[in-house]
């Protein structure tokens, strides 16, 4: 989704000195610091360390267990080739434009077992879509979703699309400022994963975070107000487009720098496991989803957190939203091995590739991955191959991508595909879906009106929620914020 540099972020890490357990070395890499910053808000009395530190002594797998339970060959014995016409050299990148990086590969249909096995059966792996076709003439009991589930998925995807389209209008009308990155085309991933979560489960997003927040239950009003910079926003107008956060809904933030949220997500998963196994909170089976893009997968935080999550069997799912472009850099040009899912087995966790333009396929994979995490079976890496319908941000004229490529993916619109599935399988009528469309249009219009009428934050809010007030600047002798002094902006206030 992005290259290794991105937008300025003002996040401040808390002091770690009081909470660093002795088994850790004194020098930390950036991901370790970010991970520890998440769990450092409440000091943890970690167990005494074995030769290799683990806060969960029983979770450190033996060499024998690793060989049987987390053998890379078990999850990716035969890596999917990028081009099935080149079977003798499966890692050869096609010289001609491929309509879809994964279109020549059959996607695995997950079994009901707890393991996400990738197996080659007579050279062909069955796709979820193939199973759907086979079952069309059978009873509706064989359908992948119920009517209620189908309508919920459709409504959430339509909300995401309509909301982002409205964001584009408001941005060009001057209602929003800074960078705004839209999610159009990728809705199947957010909906397919997040609608399976519990309220207590956590989501960590990127700078393309509006729709993730909406799927998790943050109201359209709160997200739109945040984009408008108003006090009624989910961050009181201080976060903006790239920093959606909601404690109530366990949305732990969007992050402007790529890879920045992965250590935070790993820390959230650590917290869940620590509560369950050390603090003995038996009902704590919370799962964390970490969303990030293909450009992030070449960064160090990604690899370090995969290692840590696999070592401690943390309840986390790493969701790669591979939209094939990192700003203006093609994924095929930037990555030595474009098959990101294969990096999972390298760390002893399942790696799965799925068509991210099909919400039903995504949902089937998500069920297994989230289920594994909730059962304490450890992390999963899921590569969702998708495509964004707009430029990298609303400031991007999107002139680098081939118009034919964009037209190809527009024809694979995930909302259109779900609508067709619902109607063909008698799960919904045209009238049902039109009613949802109308409802969502009203929700988005009302969100804009609410955001536009909401007040802007007072200047005093600038100095709230900082870890240490600037000495001699923020608060005066009378306990009031100095910036409230009318002379403050004139530069004549006594400081």
């Amino acid at each position: 989704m992005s290259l290794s540099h991105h937008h300025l972020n003002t996040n401040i890490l808390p002091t770690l000195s009081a909470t660093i357990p002795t088994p850790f070395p004194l020098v930390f890499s950036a991901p370790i610091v970010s991970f520890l910053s998440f769990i450092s808000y409440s000091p943890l009395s970690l167990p005494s360390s074995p030769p290799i530190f683990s806060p969960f002594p029983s979770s450190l797998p033996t060499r024998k267990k690793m060989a049987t339970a987390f053998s890379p060959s078990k999850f990716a014995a035969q890596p999917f080739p990028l081009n099935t016409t080149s079977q003798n050299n499966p890692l050869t990148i096609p010289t001609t434009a491929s309509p879809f990086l994964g279109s020549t590969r059959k996607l695995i249909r997950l079994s009901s077992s707890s393991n996400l096995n990738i197996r080659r059966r007579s050279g062909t792996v069955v796709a979820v879509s193939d199973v759907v076709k086979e079952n069309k003439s059978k009873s509706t009991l064989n359908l992948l979703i119920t009517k209620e589930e189908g309508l919920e998925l459709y409504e959430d995807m339509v909300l995401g699309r309509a909301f982002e389209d409205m964001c584009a209008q408001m941005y060009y009308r001057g209602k929003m400022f800074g960078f705004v990155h839209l999610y159009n085309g990728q809705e199947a991933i957010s909906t397919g994963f997040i609608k399976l979560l519990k309220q207590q489960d956590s989501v960590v997003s990127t700078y393309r975070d509006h729709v993730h927040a909406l799927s998790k239950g943050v109201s359209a009003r709160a997200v739109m107000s945040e984009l408008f910079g108003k006090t009624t926003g989910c961050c009181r107008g201080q976060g903006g487009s790239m920093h959606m956060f909601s404690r109530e809904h366990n949305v732990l933030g969007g992050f402007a720098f790529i890879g920045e949220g992965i250590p935070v997500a790993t820390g959230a998963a650590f917290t869940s496991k620590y509560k369950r196994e050390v603090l003995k909170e038996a009902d704590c089976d919370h799962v964390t989803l970490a969303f990030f893009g293909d450009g992030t997968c070449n960064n160090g935080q990604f690899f370090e957190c995969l290692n840590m999550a696999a070592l401690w069997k943390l309840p986390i799912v790493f969701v790669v939203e591979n939209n094939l472009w990192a700003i203006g850099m093609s994924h095929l040009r930037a990555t030595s091995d474009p098959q990101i899912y294969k990096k999972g087995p390298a760390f002893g966790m399942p790696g799965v590739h799925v068509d991210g333009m099909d919400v039903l396929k995504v949902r089937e994979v998500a069920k297994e991955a989230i289920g594994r995490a909730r059962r304490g079976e450890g992390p999963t890496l899921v590569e969702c191959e998708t495509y964004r319908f707009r430029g990298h941000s609303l400031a991007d004229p999107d002139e680098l991508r081939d118009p034919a490529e964009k037209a190809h993916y527009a024809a694979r619109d995930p909302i259109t595909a779900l609508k067709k599935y619902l109607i063909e399988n008698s799960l919904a009528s045209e009238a049902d879906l039109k009613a949802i469309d109308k409802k969502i249009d009203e929700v988005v219009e009302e969100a804009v009106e609410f955001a536009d009428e909401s007040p802007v934050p007072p200047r005093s809010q600038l100095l709230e929620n900082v870890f240490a007030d600037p000495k001699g600047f923020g608060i005066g002798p009378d306990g009031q914020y100095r910036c409230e002094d009318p002379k403050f902006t004139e530069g004549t206030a006594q400081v």
Side-chain angles (χ1 to χ4, degrees):
M1 293 173 68
S2 167
L3 296 178
S4 59
H5 64 279
H6 214 272
H7 320 292
L8 180 62
N9 189 351
T10 57
N11 289 348
I12 303 172
L13 293 177
T15 303
L16 300 176
S17 59
T19 58
I20 298 173
T22 54
F24 282 102
L26 295 179
V27 179
F28 301 100
S29 64
I32 299 296
V33 171
S34 297
F35 164 77
L36 287 176
S37 70
F38 181 90
I39 64 174
S40 65
Y41 290 105
S42 57
L44 305 177
S45 300
L46 298 176
S48 58
S49 62
I52 299 178
F53 172 72
S54 170
F56 316 105
S58 62
S59 70
L60 190 61
T62 63
R63 203 175 285 271
K64 182 178 180 181
K65 288 181 181 177
M66 284 293 290
T68 57
F70 278 121
S71 172
S73 62
K74 184 173 183 180
F75 302 115
Q78 296 285 344
F80 295 122
L82 287 173
N83 186 346
T84 53
T85 61
S86 304
Q87 293 292 345
N88 295 330
N89 187 4
L91 295 182
T92 301
I93 298 175
T95 54
T96 58
S98 173
F100 183 66
L101 180 58
S103 62
T104 56
R105 293 177 281 176
K106 294 291 186 179
L107 299 175
I108 180 171
R109 182 178 189 274
L110 299 174
S111 66
S112 59
S113 64
S114 61
N115 292 327
L116 292 174
N117 298 348
I118 294 179
R119 297 170 294 200
R120 185 175 294 280
R121 295 179 289 186
S122 304
T124 303
V125 180
V126 179
V128 172
S129 57
D130 294 337
V131 177
V132 171
K133 291 175 184 176
E134 292 172 6
N135 289 337
K136 270 189 178 181
S137 61
K138 298 181 182 179
S139 166
T140 55
L141 293 176
N142 292 320
L143 295 176
L144 295 173
I145 52 174
T146 65
K147 177 177 181 177
E148 292 72 23
E149 290 169 339
L151 294 178
E152 179 188 32
L153 298 178
Y154 182 79
E155 181 171 330
D156 191 62
M157 292 174 71
V158 170
L159 172 61
R161 178 69 60 82
F163 188 92
E164 296 292 69
D165 286 342
M166 182 60 75
C167 284
Q169 290 187 43
M170 295 300 105
Y171 178 85
Y172 292 126
R173 291 184 189 179
K175 297 291 186 178
M176 301 175 187
F177 306 94
F179 289 96
V180 176
H181 309 81
L182 301 186
Y183 201 73
N184 298 53
Q186 302 181 196
E187 296 89 354
I189 303 174
S190 180
T191 298
F193 270 93
I194 297 177
K195 300 314 286 185
L196 293 171
L197 297 180
K198 299 178 181 179
Q199 191 275 334
Q200 300 90 342
D201 295 330
S202 298
V203 168
V204 177
S205 185
T206 66
Y207 46 79
R208 206 180 300 278
D209 57 352
H210 314 158
V211 177
H212 292 153
L214 292 171
S215 292
K216 194 61 169 68
V218 183
S219 70
R221 276 183 164 197
V223 178
M224 189 65 76
S225 294
E226 188 61 35
L227 285 158
F228 275 46
K230 300 299 183 70
T231 56
T232 51
C234 56
C235 295
R236 298 197 300 162
Q238 288 182 269
S241 173
M242 296 185 285
H243 300 288
M244 296 295 164
F245 175 89
S246 173
R247 180 177 181 180
E248 175 189 354
H249 299 90
N250 287 303
V251 176
L252 303 183
F255 292 85
F257 282 97
I258 67 166
E260 188 181 25
I262 302 178
V264 174
T266 306
F270 176 93
T271 299
S272 299
K273 175 134 183 167
Y274 191 89
K275 286 180 177 179
R276 184 178 181 88
E277 297 194 6
V278 179
L279 302 182
K280 305 302 180 184
E281 297 181 13
D283 60 340
C284 183
D285 61 352
H286 308 159
V287 173
T288 299
L289 299 183
F291 291 93
F292 49 93
D294 49 283
T296 300
C297 296
N298 294 324
N299 283 15
Q301 298 101 314
F302 170 67
F303 297 102
E304 293 185 49
C305 290
L306 286 186
N307 177 67
M308 186 178 291
L311 181 66
W312 291 341
K313 293 183 70 174
L314 299 181
I316 184 171
V317 183
F318 298 99
V319 184
V320 186
E321 297 181 310
N322 181 1
N323 59 27
L324 310 182
W325 287 87
I327 305 182
M329 173 61 74
S330 167
H331 175 59
L332 295 176
R333 291 181 59 199
T335 307
S336 59
D337 186 349
Q339 296 169 305
I340 298 171
Y341 76 94
K342 287 166 51 179
K343 294 176 172 66
F347 288 92
M349 72 177 70
V352 182
H353 174 278
V354 66
D355 180 357
M357 304 294 280
D358 187 327
V359 68
L360 300 183
K361 294 177 183 178
V362 172
R363 193 168 185 270
E364 287 294 294
V365 171
K367 276 183 182 178
E368 282 288 329
I370 294 171
R372 287 189 74 252
R374 210 176 294 286
R375 292 189 298 268
E377 296 173 16
T380 306
L381 174 65
V382 180
E383 178 187 359
C384 302
E385 213 164 306
T386 184
Y387 201 79
R388 52 175 164 80
F389 290 168
R390 293 179 178 267
H392 172 69
S393 74
L394 287 175
D396 175 13
D398 195 20
E399 297 173 345
L400 296 175
R401 299 187 297 176
D402 190 327
E405 177 185 277
K406 290 188 280 188
H408 167 76
Y409 287 107
R412 301 189 70 242
D413 190 315
I415 297 178
T416 303
L418 177 62
K419 180 177 181 179
K420 180 180 179 183
Y421 179 87
L422 294 175
I423 292 175
E424 288 183 352
N425 289 280
S426 302
L427 292 173
S429 65
E430 285 277 5
D432 293 332
L433 302 183
K434 285 182 179 179
I436 291 176
D437 294 341
K438 183 175 184 295
K439 171 186 172 182
I440 294 303
D441 285 342
E442 293 173 355
V443 167
V444 174
E445 289 283 354
E446 196 276 335
V448 170
E449 293 175 7
F450 176 80
D452 198 39
E453 295 169 0
S454 296
V456 297
R459 286 184 299 167
S460 59
Q461 192 175 310
L462 285 170
L463 299 175
E464 295 180 24
N465 302 314
V466 291
F467 290 98
D469 187 71
K471 213 169 196 179
F473 171 74
I475 301 176
D478 57 358
Q480 301 298 312
Y481 286 105
R482 291 185 185 276
C483 65
E484 289 297 295
D485 184 342
K487 296 180 179 180
F488 181 83
T489 55
E490 300 172 9
T492 58
Q494 183 65 35
V495 177

